[in-house]
Amino acid sequence: MPAREGTYGLLAEFETPGDLVRAARKAHDDGWRRLECYTPYPVEEAAEAIGFHRNKVPLITLIGGLLGGAAMFAMETWISVLAYPTNFAGRPTYSWPAFIVPAYEWTILWAGLSAGFGMLALNGLPALYHPLFNAPNFRDGATTDKFFLCLEALDPKFELAESKEYLETMGPVSVVEVEY
Amino acid sequence: MSSEMKKNEGGMAQISSPGAAPKQEPMTLDQVRLKLNGVRGKKFWRSLDELADTEEFRAAVEKEFPSAAQEWVDPVSRRGFLKLMGASMALAGLAGCTKQPDEPIYPYIKAPEDLVLGKPMYFASAHPFVTGAVPLLVKSSEFRPIKIDGNPEHKYNRGSSDPYTQGTLLDMYDPDRSQHAMYRGENRDWQEFAEEFRNKVASTKDGTGIYFLSSAITSPTLARQWSEVQKIYPKAKLVQYEPAIAGTFLASGLNVQYDLSAADVIVSLDADFLSSASYPGFHKLVRDYADRRKQPEMGMNRLYAVESMTTTTGLKAEHRLGLRASEIPSFAAALAAALGVPGVTAPGYGWTDDQQKFLAVLVKELKANAGKCAVIPGLYQDPSVAALAIAINAALGNTGKTVTVSSEPAIPLPSDQIGDLKALVSDMNAGKVDWLVILNANPIYDAPADLDFLSAFNKANIVAHLGSHVDETGQIAHWHIPSAHYLESWSDARAYDGTVSVVQPLIEPLYGGRSAHHVLQTLLDDPKISPYEAVRSTWKDAITKAAPGGDFEKGWRKVLHDGWIEGTTYAAASGAKLAIHGVPAPIAKDSIEVIFRPDPNIYDGRWNNVGWLQELPKPVVSLAWDNAAIVSGATLVKWGFEEDDIIEISVGNGRVKAPIIVAPGHPDNAITVYLGYGREFAGRVGSGQGFNAYLLRNTWAPFYAIGAQRKIEGKWGVAITKSHYQDHRVKSLLGQGKGDNSLEGDEAVSPAGSADGIGPRGIIRYATLDEFKANPNFAHEGYKTDTPPYDDSLFPNWTYNEPYAWAMSVDMNSCTGCNACIVSCYAENNIAVVGKQQVRIGRNMQWLRIDAYFEGDLAAPRAHFQPMACQHCENAPCEQVCPVGATVHTPEGLNVMVYNRCIGTRYCSNNCPYKVRRFNFLLYSDYETESLKLMRNPDVTVRSRGVMEKCSYCVQRIQEAKIEADKENRLVRDGEIVTACQQACPAQAITFGNKNDKESRVSKLRAQQRSYQLIADINTRPRTTYVAEVLNLNQELEVTPTEFAPAKG
Amino acid sequence: MATREVKPPDHWVDPATGEYRVIAPGQTFRSITEKIARIVLTPHTPMGWFGLFTVAGGGTMMLMVALTWLFLKGVGIWAVSQPVAWGFAIIEFVWWIGIGHAGTLISAILLLFKQSWRNSISRFAEAMTIFAVMCAALFPMIHVGRPWVAYWVFPLPFTMTVWPQFRSPLMWDVFAVSTYATISVVFWYIGMVPDFGTFRDKAESKIAQYFYGILSVGWRGSARHWMRYETASLLLAGLATPLVLSVHTVISFDFAVAVLPGWHTTIFPPYFVAGAIYSGFAMVLTLAIPLRKFYHLESLVTERHMDNMGKLMLVTGFIVGYGYGMEAFMAWYSADHWEAFTFWNRAFGPMGWSYWCLITCNLAIPLTTLWSRKLRTNIAFMFVLSIVVNTGMYLERFVIIVTSLTRDFLPSAWGTYRATKWDYMTFVGTLGFFTFMFLLFVRFLPMIPMNEIRMLLPGAKIKPKAAVGAGD
Amino acid sequence: MPQIFDRSSNALARMSLVLTGLIVIALGVTLDQLQRSPWVTRQGQRPDQPVPFSHKHHVQGLGLQCQYCHTSVEKSSYAGIPPTRTCMNCHAQIWTNAQLLEPVRNSWYTGQSIPWIKVHDLPDFVYFNHEIHVNKGIGCETCHGKVDEMPLMYAQNTLQMEWCLNCHRNPAKNLRPTSEIYNMDWDQPGVDKPVWCAAVPNVDGVPTAESVSCTRTDPSGNPAAQASLKPEALFRPVSLTTGDAAQAAPQIPYEKFTSQDELGHYLLKHYNIRTPKDLMSCEVCHR
């Protein structure tokens, strides 16, 4: 796809999480949908403020775990009962109690991998390049002690000048335009 | 290294006391590098290997890395040390994903008619041994002898054999055998020797100054050849000296046979006839003894033993009396007197109450069983004991029934060996000896110390030595001729019963060896006559007589096929009477008595370089790779020693340093030393092991002598394969409260019904004959350790409904712990020898071991012998825990070990309740030595480093039999499969077969009430079962002798 | 409790709670970020680090030497023999795995229990876990007789068409340990991603920026990301908890499933897990105490942490003690001779010394002293104690594995065990390797999770006033 | 603070993730193929032998019987490589000075073996036994391929464990009448090319090989073919019928087989071949 050009959005910087959350909630109430908060540590209120309440990570984890466990148990059974049935220590070929342990481990293994990588995938990571990093003040604060609200150009309500004033009303430290 | 150097070392071979560092100036590693300078690659390793055998090199290593020194002299780890390259190659080669290299095939030019490649052939022969030949049936693969076993058709040993005989196989393939004739260290040709010798002797006209010094001659043909030599050269002298029998009644020609099958009571006067072939008639005696014990309900014999050194004979005996060796003649005399043997008066001697009681009981028993008993004299006792025994047997009317004195001697040319040797030495000193020809003897090493044989030796003009190795004598003899092994040359020999066996070669001499027949023949009219023709002409008449239609050639072929000549047994002597000379008085009780015995494993030292025998734990003391000063626990404590301390023993002028160890039941104030160790030039395996007890042995005291001992600093580091602790546990902590029992014994042994008493493990279960009669099921009643019922298991049990279900039964009553089975197993299964250092840390690879448990006070214990190999459990704990399934169960119930699947986690070994698995911790198998490759059994994989191994019930034999049966469309017959251990066992203690065939011998044995399984309470369901012991005790003696000197240890 | 009277220096105590503060007062978002980031991003490495690094490197080299010789000669260079076929290798395997457990416990279980004090030590506890598991995983691989075919334990389609045998506890180990390693790494990495972001933004040098930039996979702290991130962390914690319990349970099966008296015991799983955590906390202390001193992190790793870990060790210590007690009790109560003898042999047999040392190190010393808050917060004492306990736990495995094996069912097969220099070299080698890895970690990775610390700061609380303000 | 990474880096990052995955998979597949490849198994490779001996010429061309050279195939585990003498039996008369045969003559005169290179080379820990296979109806061609069409000898099969088991798991699919063991062109029965077999019940001690006899010519209304259907066992002294067996032997009921599966199971029964359970047991090949 051709690299996008033009404005990505407007980025407002706040001093405290409180200010950010208030701003975000207001923007959301005012009907903004393409907006996003950026914080140096998880601030749940911020996510709720922009109307983000539940995510799909748990589901992915569940599926991954079940698949892993089933796969291992099936393999063990196939190996011991069908592939090369042998008399080990006079135990039955289908020694299910013994098979549980590896199956259990694999359930956890695949659940864990799904959780970790599922989360990254849902977050669209890795994304080494991001327009926000073009903002002069973003990288200085976003991962340390500053709190940002970003209204994105894709939002139908977005109109560069108006939106900028709109943000100014929320008492940010600064508002900057972010280029793609 | 140059042979000159060898000469020097030889010169000092017996001066420098063994164990002490050699005297030549040590060389530094720089010199070593110098020596190795220029050689590269394979050659480098080879020369390094050769170098490693030299004394100076060891000295050098010892100097520069002391820690490595011990490793270095140890053959196995030295090989490891040198063959790092080899090891890493193996490592690379074994890796799963490498392709194997091209292998060439070298077909015959003309294939031999009778050869089917891949099918073994069997030839009858015999092992000519000084106590009587052992008739053999030798398995040969592609014309290489690969397994020696007794001749099943021969009525003397009926297929059984013994450790010595089994060991001779490795002896033949010994890479250190001398490889060519030598004159003053330069290679020569046999012909040259023959010429020179013949001419020289001819020039003397009557043979003046020509002396032969030979080991005891066992071959009638050789005797015949000698008599012919005598005819031509009357002045030539033959001296026989066999260190192990010199001075015994055997050497002087007394020849007695016993028929124990008819004896209800057997009395051994220091006769160790159950533990090794060093006693004449071992195979037959054990067989007959055991046959009378297999079915106690049919009645049993009863064995009394009066003995000095503790032997398995004594420990198997119902009642054993430990006496100092020097007391035994007097005891015999006392016994004879009490039995009213004419002309014998009881010597006045202060017998203890116990001893008197024992004597009284013996008298009573013998009288009661006159004609149904046998008194057997010790071979290593004063000849008077033998004379007394014969007299006693005669007096009891045993002669002709259980005892036969034969008219012919057991060795063709009986002689006063010690006397003759003395004469030879004085002649040498007198310069009368022009040529001394030594035939298969090693006097420099084993001649009595007081003769100072070496200095006399140097006075002889020319010395020629015929020997299998360039040994101590060969080192300094002018001529050395490699001698042919008995598997390489024609000869003949007589078994215990006199039957003549033709010794038939199985293979061309590997190193062009010659036999004594050749040497003597060179002096006769036609030197070209081969031993083959010589043997044939010796027996022409006898064979022709026995042959169908009097056709000699037919008869000869029959002899070669059967392995013996009919109608050659000894004739009984008419009215054998033996003059009883004075009975030697016992040595004072407070003086130390040193007892000499040939080694149970390497005999007089001739098998010193046989790894199998070196690694074999000796009976009773479980000592491998060494001999030791064996004493009683009380004596050890009295002298203030600990086991493995080094002491110096001195007799006369002889001194040796020896490790001291304890043998339960050994008489106090006495030291038993085994002969045959401390060799300087035995070879890579034997050299430097143990100490040379011959240095203590003098012409005036060949069997026991007064000696002294003193402490030397340091520990020896003996390799004892069995842990032995004393039970110091107090009653509240599972113990017996007294510290005189063996901990292992207390744990293992459970006499009938005493399940909650000592030994709740129920490993050894036995009863007295009366208890057994009262309760035939004693082996199961009250034991918590029996197999739980099938439905106790959570898992459904595996069912074995195949036509075959292999199983083994071991009769504890019969096993005498002679170790023949172990050596047989070595040969059959290509088991590696690991060396002393590895044995010390418990890594010996024997698939089969014989557990000995001592019951009761260690001063006078009762012992129980238990052959222990893989039990082939149906619910094998080892299989369950193997992550890669390298050990599995076959449908026929074998627990098989798949070497090439094993990754070596060793979990199986941990989980094996019987600890019968063996692991290749290092590269134990020898992949370099060519001659050993020829010896291996082609049907068994040679295990490499890092894999587990264990008894397989000789699965290769099972497979072979099954394939035969399948081809012929039938089931394998009972007895068709014989395991290696079973085959060797003289006592027939081991039975193998198909447990699903209700008619098979093994099924019947398993059905016996006496048969039980080991550690069955953990539901392993072993396929090997044991038949519990029954002892035919004499009530009067059952109250064991009271107090003993404490032996806290 | 009497010791409660002891008053600690005031500024450490949170006036609100009267409890120790988790982190010292007067810290701001930026100050802690700077503090932690500097350790890594500073161009000049402290001399001490180099010194220690050289020592650890030496240890690693020793390990390499020992392994080379091992592969050339075979496991025979160790003391393993008949009947003691498992020796130091397996002892160390179990020991290292045990060490690892505390890391997971701190990062996972305490997270679930919302123990915020864990935040400052969780990261390097996790790192410890990973390196410990690396050391542990080494042993099963090298202790086999033919390491070059060790890969046969994996169910792969070889032309032999034979497969692993899943009834063997060793197979369970294969999966338990590999899973444990993987999950720990994932958990660890996920935890570090936001901090990598911080580093990326704090780093001056281009290389550092690229390095951490890539590691941070472009993390930008979006609220939606944070939400998913939090869920994933919680899930991983929730998974790691049963995992960590299962791993040492499976390890204990190696013994409990065997028939050997002294191994065949049902108490093993709980008692192994407790023991693992016990030794794990000891190791955390052994590492944390020098670290906070060296990098002046007293304000972040405080007495509060010492105190709590001390309490946890007290608890697990008692569980372990209960385990020992049960073994003794069952030896008598079961009336089973095998058990009874084995216990007698442990305590009074030839290797009894190891048993009594173990009792001293694991029970006698810690369980008497850890009651005292004063001692719990005494840095020097805790350091010594942590080492004592680690020794004790090593001895515990020695007693279980070696002593049981020396004397089992058949008295004729009894033996003994004496470790060789190669055994010791291998063990010391792994210690070196562990330190080696750990030093690399503290030098190049965030050893304290900044994003989690931030949440502990007063500034992180959203003021109610703000909420009211939001209303109008 | 500027961007660190270029716009392209996102695509790059994702790409590299995918690639890593692909590489891992590819590696696995490669190794799996490698272990089965002729490079490892030597399947189909013709090592250069001292003499370019042509089985095609000797078997197909001259009609030599397998056992003429491989003498012990029926009575030993080892089939046997002919001694030089066997070559010289003929080549003393014919091709006496062919250059190709120089090594043979050389070996004959010097007494040095001809150093052949092993084509069918099993690992040393595998104990294969020819006699039992040959006696139970596994033809040479089943394992060694159509030797009569091999100018230079090569291994038709991998000889890997999976290949062995392939048959041990289900012997029926390769069994043939023992009379056809040495037949290189035996093709398995089909609807168009049926096989007729007659069998007598097994007798203890009588080799199973003799209890079955088969023919390819339809015996119905063909006395000759019927006569040929009398199993050898009948002619033994220890056989079921007494007296002069050949004549007195009753007409043996015969069956028709139109598929290898039918024939295989028929032979399984009459050769009483072990069950797959037995045949797959480790000790069968490893000791």
Side-chain angles (χ1 to χ4, degrees), chain C residues 147-190:
Chain C
W148 54 92
V149 290
Y151 61 89
W152 284 349
V153 296
F154 297 111
L156 299 170
F158 299 120
T159 53
M160 300 175 289
T161 68
V162 285
W163 301 89
Q165 204 273 94
F166 287 96
R167 293 162 197 78
S168 165
L170 287 185
M171 278 312 292
W172 306 345
D173 281 357
V174 170
F175 292 100
V177 174
S178 57
T179 302
Y180 188 41
T182 321
I183 295 297
S184 306
V185 170
V186 171
F187 197 15
W188 188 52
Y189 174 69
I190 297 291

Coordinates of all heavy atoms in Angstrom, one line a residue, chain C residues 147-190:
Chain C
P147 N 25.2 -38.4 25.1 CA 24.5 -37.1 24.9 C 24.2 -36.8 23.4 O 23.2 -36.2 23.1 CB 25.5 -36.0 25.4 CG 26.6 -36.8 26.0 CD 26.5 -38.2 25.6
W148 N 25.0 -37.5 22.5 CA 24.8 -37.2 21.1 C 23.5 -37.8 20.6 O 23.1 -37.5 19.4 CB 26.0 -37.6 20.3 CG 26.4 -39.0 20.5 CD1 26.0 -40.1 19.8 CD2 27.3 -39.5 21.5 NE1 26.5 -41.3 20.3 CE2 27.3 -41.0 21.3 CE3 28.0 -39.0 22.6 CZ2 28.1 -41.8 22.2 CZ3 28.8 -39.8 23.4 CH2 28.8 -41.2 23.2
V149 N 22.9 -38.6 21.3 CA 21.5 -39.1 20.9 C 20.5 -38.7 21.9 O 19.3 -39.2 21.9 CB 21.5 -40.6 20.7 CG1 22.3 -41.0 19.5 CG2 22.0 -41.3 22.0
A150 N 20.8 -37.7 22.7 CA 19.8 -37.3 23.7 C 18.5 -36.8 23.1 O 17.4 -36.8 23.7 CB 20.4 -36.2 24.6
Y151 N 18.6 -36.4 21.8 CA 17.4 -35.8 21.2 C 16.4 -36.9 20.9 O 15.2 -36.6 20.5 CB 17.8 -35.1 19.8 CG 18.4 -36.1 18.8 CD1 17.6 -36.8 17.9 CD2 19.8 -36.2 18.7 CE1 18.2 -37.6 17.0 CE2 20.4 -37.1 17.8 CZ 19.6 -37.8 17.0 OH 20.1 -38.7 16.1
W152 N 16.7 -38.1 21.2 CA 15.7 -39.2 21.0 C 14.5 -39.0 22.0 O 13.5 -39.7 21.9 CB 16.3 -40.6 21.2 CG 17.1 -41.0 20.0 CD1 17.1 -40.4 18.8 CD2 18.0 -42.1 19.9 NE1 18.0 -41.0 17.9 CE2 18.5 -42.1 18.6 CE3 18.4 -43.1 20.8 CZ2 19.4 -43.1 18.1 CZ3 19.3 -44.0 20.3 CH2 19.8 -44.0 19.0
V153 N 14.7 -38.2 23.0 CA 13.6 -38.0 24.0 C 12.5 -37.2 23.3 O 11.4 -37.1 23.9 CB 14.0 -37.3 25.3 CG1 15.0 -38.2 26.0 CG2 14.6 -36.0 25.0
F154 N 12.7 -36.6 22.2 CA 11.6 -35.8 21.6 C 10.9 -36.7 20.6 O 11.5 -37.5 19.8 CB 12.2 -34.6 20.9 CG 12.9 -33.6 21.8 CD1 14.3 -33.5 21.8 CD2 12.2 -32.9 22.7 CE1 14.9 -32.6 22.7 CE2 12.8 -32.1 23.6 CZ 14.1 -31.9 23.6
P155 N 9.6 -36.6 20.6 CA 8.8 -37.4 19.6 C 8.9 -36.9 18.2 O 8.2 -36.0 17.8 CB 7.4 -37.3 20.2 CG 7.3 -36.0 20.9 CD 8.7 -35.8 21.5
L156 N 9.9 -37.4 17.5 CA 10.2 -36.9 16.1 C 10.1 -38.2 15.2 O 10.4 -39.3 15.6 CB 11.6 -36.3 16.0 CG 11.7 -35.1 16.9 CD1 13.2 -34.6 16.9 CD2 10.9 -33.9 16.5
P157 N 9.7 -37.9 14.0 CA 9.6 -39.1 13.0 C 10.9 -39.6 12.5 O 11.3 -39.3 11.4 CB 8.7 -38.4 11.9 CG 9.1 -37.0 11.9 CD 9.4 -36.6 13.3
F158 N 11.6 -40.4 13.3 CA 12.9 -40.9 12.8 C 12.6 -42.2 12.0 O 11.5 -42.8 12.1 CB 13.8 -41.3 14.0 CG 14.2 -40.1 14.8 CD1 13.8 -40.1 16.2 CD2 14.9 -39.1 14.3 CE1 14.2 -39.0 16.9 CE2 15.2 -38.0 15.1 CZ 14.9 -38.0 16.4
T159 N 13.6 -42.6 11.2 CA 13.4 -43.8 10.4 C 13.3 -45.1 11.2 O 13.1 -46.1 10.7 CB 14.6 -44.0 9.4 OG1 15.8 -43.9 10.1 CG2 14.5 -42.8 8.4
M160 N 13.7 -44.9 12.5 CA 13.6 -46.1 13.4 C 12.1 -46.4 13.7 O 11.8 -47.5 14.1 CB 14.3 -45.8 14.7 CG 15.8 -45.6 14.6 SD 16.5 -45.1 16.2 CE 15.8 -43.5 16.4
T161 N 11.3 -45.3 13.6 CA 9.8 -45.4 13.9 C 9.6 -45.9 15.3 O 8.6 -46.5 15.6 CB 9.1 -46.4 13.0 OG1 9.5 -47.7 13.2 CG2 9.3 -46.0 11.5
V162 N 10.6 -45.7 16.2 CA 10.3 -45.9 17.6 C 10.2 -44.5 18.3 O 10.7 -43.6 17.8 CB 11.4 -46.7 18.3 CG1 11.3 -48.2 17.9 CG2 12.7 -46.2 18.0
W163 N 9.4 -44.5 19.3 CA 9.0 -43.3 19.9 C 9.3 -43.2 21.4 O 9.6 -44.2 22.0 CB 7.5 -43.1 19.8 CG 7.1 -43.1 18.3 CD1 6.7 -44.2 17.6 CD2 7.0 -41.9 17.5 NE1 6.4 -43.8 16.3 CE2 6.6 -42.4 16.2 CE3 7.3 -40.6 17.6 CZ2 6.4 -41.6 15.1 CZ3 7.1 -39.7 16.5 CH2 6.7 -40.2 15.3
P164 N 9.3 -42.0 22.0 CA 9.5 -41.9 23.4 C 8.5 -42.7 24.2 O 7.5 -43.1 23.7 CB 9.4 -40.4 23.7 CG 9.6 -39.8 22.4 CD 9.1 -40.7 21.4
Q165 N 8.8 -42.9 25.5 CA 8.0 -43.8 26.3 C 7.4 -42.9 27.4 O 8.1 -42.5 28.4 CB 9.0 -44.8 26.9 CG 8.3 -46.1 27.4 CD 7.8 -46.0 28.8 OE1 6.6 -45.7 29.0 NE2 8.6 -46.3 29.7
F166 N 6.1 -42.6 27.3 CA 5.5 -41.5 28.1 C 5.2 -42.0 29.5 O 4.7 -41.1 30.2 CB 4.3 -41.0 27.4 CG 4.6 -40.2 26.2 CD1 4.6 -40.7 24.9 CD2 5.0 -38.8 26.3 CE1 5.0 -39.9 23.8 CE2 5.4 -38.1 25.2 CZ 5.4 -38.6 24.0
R167 N 5.5 -43.2 29.8 CA 5.2 -43.6 31.2 C 6.4 -43.1 32.1 O 6.3 -43.2 33.3 CB 5.0 -45.1 31.4 CG 3.7 -45.6 30.7 CD 3.8 -47.0 30.5 NE 2.8 -47.5 29.5 CZ 3.0 -47.3 28.2 NH1 4.0 -46.7 27.7 NH2 2.0 -47.7 27.3
S168 N 7.5 -42.7 31.5 CA 8.7 -42.4 32.3 C 8.6 -41.0 32.8 O 8.4 -40.0 32.0 CB 9.9 -42.6 31.4 OG 11.0 -41.9 32.0
P169 N 8.8 -40.8 34.1 CA 8.9 -39.4 34.6 C 9.9 -38.6 33.9 O 9.7 -37.3 33.8 CB 9.3 -39.7 36.1 CG 8.8 -41.0 36.4 CD 9.0 -41.8 35.1
L170 N 10.9 -39.2 33.4 CA 11.9 -38.3 32.6 C 11.3 -37.7 31.4 O 11.6 -36.5 31.1 CB 13.1 -39.2 32.2 CG 14.0 -39.6 33.3 CD1 15.2 -40.3 32.8 CD2 14.5 -38.4 34.1
M171 N 10.3 -38.4 30.8 CA 9.6 -37.7 29.7 C 8.8 -36.6 30.2 O 8.7 -35.5 29.6 CB 8.7 -38.7 29.0 CG 9.4 -39.6 28.0 SD 10.5 -38.7 26.9 CE 9.3 -37.8 26.0
W172 N 8.2 -36.8 31.3 CA 7.4 -35.7 31.9 C 8.3 -34.5 32.2 O 8.0 -33.3 31.8 CB 6.7 -36.1 33.2 CG 5.9 -37.4 33.1 CD1 5.5 -37.9 31.9 CD2 5.4 -38.2 34.1 NE1 4.8 -39.1 32.2 CE2 4.7 -39.2 33.5 CE3 5.5 -38.1 35.5 CZ2 4.1 -40.2 34.3 CZ3 4.9 -39.1 36.2 CH2 4.2 -40.2 35.6
D173 N 9.5 -34.8 32.7 CA 10.5 -33.7 32.9 C 10.7 -32.9 31.6 O 10.7 -31.7 31.6 CB 11.8 -34.3 33.4 CG 11.8 -34.6 34.8 OD1 10.8 -34.4 35.5 OD2 12.8 -35.2 35.3
V174 N 10.9 -33.7 30.5 CA 11.3 -33.0 29.3 C 10.2 -31.9 29.0 O 10.6 -30.8 28.7 CB 11.3 -34.0 28.1 CG1 11.4 -33.3 26.8 CG2 12.4 -35.0 28.3
F175 N 8.9 -32.3 29.1 CA 7.9 -31.3 28.8 C 7.7 -30.3 29.9 O 7.6 -29.1 29.6 CB 6.6 -32.0 28.5 CG 6.7 -32.9 27.3 CD1 6.8 -34.2 27.3 CD2 6.6 -32.2 26.0 CE1 6.9 -35.0 26.2 CE2 6.7 -33.0 24.9 CZ 6.8 -34.3 24.9
A176 N 7.8 -30.7 31.1 CA 7.6 -29.7 32.2 C 8.7 -28.7 32.1 O 8.4 -27.5 32.1 CB 7.7 -30.5 33.6
V177 N 10.0 -29.1 32.0 CA 11.1 -28.1 32.1 C 11.1 -27.2 30.8 O 11.2 -26.0 30.9 CB 12.4 -28.8 32.2 CG1 13.6 -27.9 32.1 CG2 12.5 -29.6 33.5
S178 N 10.9 -27.9 29.7 CA 10.9 -27.0 28.5 C 9.7 -26.0 28.5 O 9.9 -24.8 28.2 CB 10.7 -27.9 27.2 OG 9.5 -28.6 27.3
T179 N 8.5 -26.4 29.0 CA 7.4 -25.5 29.1 C 7.8 -24.4 30.1 O 7.6 -23.2 29.8 CB 6.2 -26.2 29.6 OG1 5.9 -27.3 28.7 CG2 5.0 -25.3 29.7
Y180 N 8.3 -24.8 31.2 CA 8.7 -23.8 32.2 C 9.6 -22.8 31.7 O 9.4 -21.6 31.8 CB 9.3 -24.6 33.4 CG 9.5 -23.7 34.6 CD1 8.6 -22.8 35.0 CD2 10.7 -23.8 35.4 CE1 8.8 -22.0 36.2 CE2 10.9 -23.0 36.5 CZ 10.0 -22.1 36.9 OH 10.2 -21.3 38.0
A181 N 10.6 -23.3 31.0 CA 11.6 -22.3 30.4 C 10.9 -21.4 29.5 O 11.0 -20.1 29.6 CB 12.7 -23.1 29.7
T182 N 10.1 -21.9 28.5 CA 9.5 -21.1 27.5 C 8.6 -20.0 28.2 O 8.7 -18.8 27.9 CB 8.6 -21.9 26.6 OG1 9.3 -23.2 26.4 CG2 8.3 -21.2 25.3
I183 N 7.7 -20.5 29.0 CA 6.7 -19.6 29.6 C 7.5 -18.5 30.4 O 7.2 -17.3 30.3 CB 5.7 -20.3 30.5 CG1 4.9 -21.3 29.7 CG2 4.9 -19.3 31.3 CD1 4.0 -20.5 28.7
S184 N 8.5 -18.9 31.2 CA 9.2 -17.9 31.9 C 9.8 -16.8 31.0 O 9.7 -15.6 31.3 CB 10.4 -18.6 32.7 OG 9.9 -19.6 33.5
V185 N 10.4 -17.3 29.9 CA 11.0 -16.3 29.0 C 9.9 -15.4 28.5 O 10.1 -14.1 28.5 CB 11.7 -17.0 27.8 CG1 12.1 -16.0 26.8 CG2 12.9 -17.8 28.4
V186 N 8.8 -15.9 28.0 CA 7.7 -15.1 27.4 C 7.3 -14.1 28.5 O 7.3 -12.8 28.2 CB 6.6 -15.9 27.0 CG1 5.4 -15.1 26.6 CG2 7.0 -16.8 25.8
F187 N 7.0 -14.5 29.7 CA 6.5 -13.7 30.7 C 7.5 -12.6 31.0 O 7.2 -11.4 31.1 CB 6.3 -14.5 32.0 CG 5.5 -13.9 33.0 CD1 4.7 -12.8 32.8 CD2 5.5 -14.4 34.3 CE1 3.9 -12.2 33.7 CE2 4.7 -13.8 35.3 CZ 3.9 -12.7 35.0
W188 N 8.7 -12.9 31.1 CA 9.8 -12.0 31.3 C 9.9 -10.9 30.3 O 9.9 -9.8 30.5 CB 11.1 -12.8 31.4 CG 12.4 -12.2 31.8 CD1 12.6 -11.5 33.0 CD2 13.6 -12.2 31.2 NE1 13.9 -11.0 33.1 CE2 14.5 -11.5 32.0 CE3 14.1 -12.7 30.0 CZ2 15.9 -11.3 31.6 CZ3 15.4 -12.5 29.6 CH2 16.3 -11.8 30.4
Y189 N 9.9 -11.4 29.0 CA 10.0 -10.5 27.9 C 8.9 -9.5 27.8 O 9.0 -8.3 27.8 CB 10.2 -11.3 26.6 CG 10.2 -10.4 25.4 CD1 11.3 -9.5 25.2 CD2 9.1 -10.3 24.5 CE1 11.3 -8.7 24.1 CE2 9.1 -9.4 23.4 CZ 10.2 -8.6 23.2 OH 10.2 -7.8 22.2
I190 N 7.7 -10.1 27.9 CA 6.5 -9.3 27.8 C 6.6 -8.2 28.9 O 6.3 -7.0 28.7 CB 5.2 -10.1 28.0 CG1 5.0 -11.1 26.9 CG2 4.0 -9.2 28.1 CD1 4.7 -10.6 25.6

